[in-house]
Amino acid sequence: MANLSSSTIMLTGAGGALATAVAQELEDAGAQLVLVGRGEALERAADRFPATEVLDLDLRDPASVEALRRVKVDALVHTVGAFTMQDVQKATEEDLRAMFDTNMLTLFHAVQGVLPHMLRQKDGLIMGVSAGQAARMSGPKAALYTASKAAVAAYVLSLHDELKGRGLRGCVLYPMGAIDTPKNREAGMDWDDLIDPRGLAKSVAHALTRPDRAHVTELKIYPDA
């Protein structure tokens, strides 16, 4: 996928801070966008970015798979995710399901949606967004989050190993710090610990444009403290 101007990219979590930066980077490169998201955030993204398809879907719902299978794309960039901090001894099964449903199940359904077409055309790239805690395999007060994001990484890398011989590739993006979003600023996070989503977006575009024999499977992006 060396030329984004001839590619169609599905971007989930449309309207979020990271997805917006990625959409801008891909639009600037001439890519066609398929935007997948929910409600007002999706509407804002659709108003800002021209897209061949705009899909309002809850990717936690298995019914979303069939809707995605109607769309033909060359790559999936999955940015859907959630974060929580809590004492490990206070975590409940409901908390566990919420983290894995949002961070992992949504990816699973998105992949199930795009996979048949990619396998038919013998080409495609799937990118999942993991987290710095998952890269380090630890994170205080973030056990469920870390576990769910580690699952994202393991799933994408295993998919890559299984399907690379059939033209499909996987890539994991690890923001090695919190992303600079209004919500994180409101939470009082230190500026030096925040990663500019525009920098992450450029890394996404870089991975998407690597040739088959120079494919990037993991990208760790650190804040420029």
Side-chain angles (χ1 to χ4, degrees):
M1 195 182 302
N3 186 0
L4 286 177
S5 64
S6 61
S7 300
T8 301
I9 315 296
M10 179 180 288
L11 182 61
T12 66
L18 176 56
T20 297
V22 171
Q24 186 64 66
E25 187 71 22
L26 297 180
E27 183 191 37
D28 291 347
Q32 299 294 310
L33 297 176
V34 173
L35 300 176
V36 182
R38 301 294 310 280
E40 292 182 2
L42 177 63
E43 291 177 9
R44 289 195 300 271
D47 288 342
R48 180 169 175 179
F49 302 106
T52 60
E53 296 275 355
V54 177
L55 302 174
D56 192 330
L57 297 172
D58 183 352
L59 291 175
R60 296 169 300 183
D61 186 344
S64 63
V65 174
E66 191 57 40
L68 295 180
R69 285 184 175 172
R70 301 188 186 104
V71 184
K72 298 178 179 180
V73 299
D74 301 298
L76 165 68
V77 179
H78 184 74
T79 75
V80 176
F83 173 76
T84 187
M85 292 188 69
Q86 60 191 176
D87 295 335
V88 68
Q89 70 269 25
K90 295 180 181 178
T92 66
E93 185 173 329
E94 183 178 352
D95 295 330
L96 174 71
R97 291 184 183 278
M99 277 290 96
F100 273 81
D101 282 358
T102 302
N103 291 334
M104 182 60 221
L105 186 61
T106 58
L107 171 62
F108 175 76
H109 286 153
V111 170
Q112 292 298 306
V114 302
L115 207 54
H117 171 70
M118 290 184 178
L119 288 171
R120 284 193 297 270
Q121 70 180 9
K122 298 181 180 179
D123 185 44
L125 187 145
I126 291 168
M127 176 178 285
V129 180
S130 186
Q133 290 99 321
R136 294 186 292 265
M137 294 302 291
S138 67
K141 294 185 179 292
L144 300 186
Y145 172 74
T146 299
S148 65
K149 285 296 191 177
V152 166
Y155 180 75
V156 172
L157 293 174
S158 293
L159 178 150
H160 173 79
D161 286 343
E162 181 177 341
L163 299 177
K164 61 186 177 183
R166 300 178 66 182
L168 271 70
R169 293 161 291 147
C171 181
V172 182
L173 180 70
Y174 299 95
M176 301 299 290
I179 300 175
D180 188 358
T181 67
K183 185 176 181 180
N184 285 338
R185 283 176 174 263
E186 290 171 8
M189 292 189 178
D190 189 336
W191 165 261
D192 289 340
D193 294 331
L194 297 177
I195 301 175
D196 187 340
R198 294 171 298 180
L200 289 168
K202 291 186 181 298
S203 299
V204 170
H206 173 78
L208 288 172
T209 54
R210 294 310 88 202
D212 290 344
R213 297 187 66 184
H215 176 63
V216 177
T217 56
E218 294 182 276
L219 279 169
K220 294 181 181 179
I221 311 299
Y222 292 83
D224 186 17

